[in-house]
């Protein structure tokens, strides 16, 4: 075999390998763009949620126990207290709405709804 045929073979091998790397790069670029597009769609879908470090709105006072994940490290007594406090708060809110609704309709109030204490 003449010496120039080896050169032609090596040039062909280098050209094929460069073509392979170019095609691999194009494929990786397209996959990366698809992943970034999915991330963008997820970000817009979750964009309406408030960030975790955002300041609370006026009237929303958050205690450290009210932050997400704080229950994991809180004592059971503290969590029981928080549960009972929120339960009684919800009960009182329902009571106040019931009193207001009956007042708006002109209905008589029940004795348990009147604050006689």
């Amino acid at each position: 075999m003449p010496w120039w045929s080896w050169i032609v073979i090596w040039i062909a091998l280098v050209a094929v390998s460069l073509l392979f790397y170019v095609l691999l790069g194009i494929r990786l670029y397209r996959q990366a763009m698809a992943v970034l597009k999915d991330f963008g769609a997820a970000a817009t879908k979750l964009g309406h949620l408030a960030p975790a470090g955002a300041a609370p709105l006026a009237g929303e006072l958050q205690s450290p126990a009210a932050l997400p994940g704080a229950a994991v490290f809180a004592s059971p007594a503290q969590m029981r207290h928080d549960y009972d406090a929120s339960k009684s708060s919800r009960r009182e809110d329902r009571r106040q709405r019931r009193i207001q609704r009956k007042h708006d309709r002109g209905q008589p109030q029940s004795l348990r709804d009147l604050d006689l204490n």
Side-chain angles (χ1 to χ4, degrees), residues 41-83:
T44 57
K45 191 178 270 190
L46 297 175
H48 68 281
L49 298 177
L57 297 175
E60 288 184 24
L61 297 177
Q62 290 185 346
S63 65
L67 296 175
V72 175
F73 303 108
S75 68
Q78 177 65 35
M79 293 314 301
R80 172 55 67 185
H81 175 267
D82 291 349
Y83 172 75

Side-chain angles (χ1 to χ4, degrees), residues 43-116:
T44 57
K45 191 178 270 190
L46 297 175
H48 68 281
L49 298 177
L57 297 175
E60 288 184 24
L61 297 177
Q62 290 185 346
S63 65
L67 296 175
V72 175
F73 303 108
S75 68
Q78 177 65 35
M79 293 314 301
R80 172 55 67 185
H81 175 267
D82 291 349
Y83 172 75
D84 290 338
S86 64
K87 184 177 178 181
S88 65
S89 172
R90 289 189 304 269
R91 185 177 290 162
E92 182 61 25
D93 289 343
R94 284 193 305 269
R95 181 179 156 279
Q96 291 297 327
R97 286 193 307 265
R98 182 174 60 245
I99 291 171
Q100 187 62 41
R101 185 176 57 243
K102 285 185 172 188
H103 181 268
D104 292 344
R105 293 178 183 171
Q107 297 174 335
Q109 298 292 329
S110 66
L111 288 176
R112 68 183 176 138
D113 288 341
L114 297 176
D115 195 15
L116 299 175

Side-chain angles (χ1 to χ4, degrees), residues 32-48:
M33 288 296 117
V35 167
L36 290 176
K37 183 179 177 182
D38 290 343
F39 281 153
T44 57
K45 191 178 270 190
L46 297 175
H48 68 281

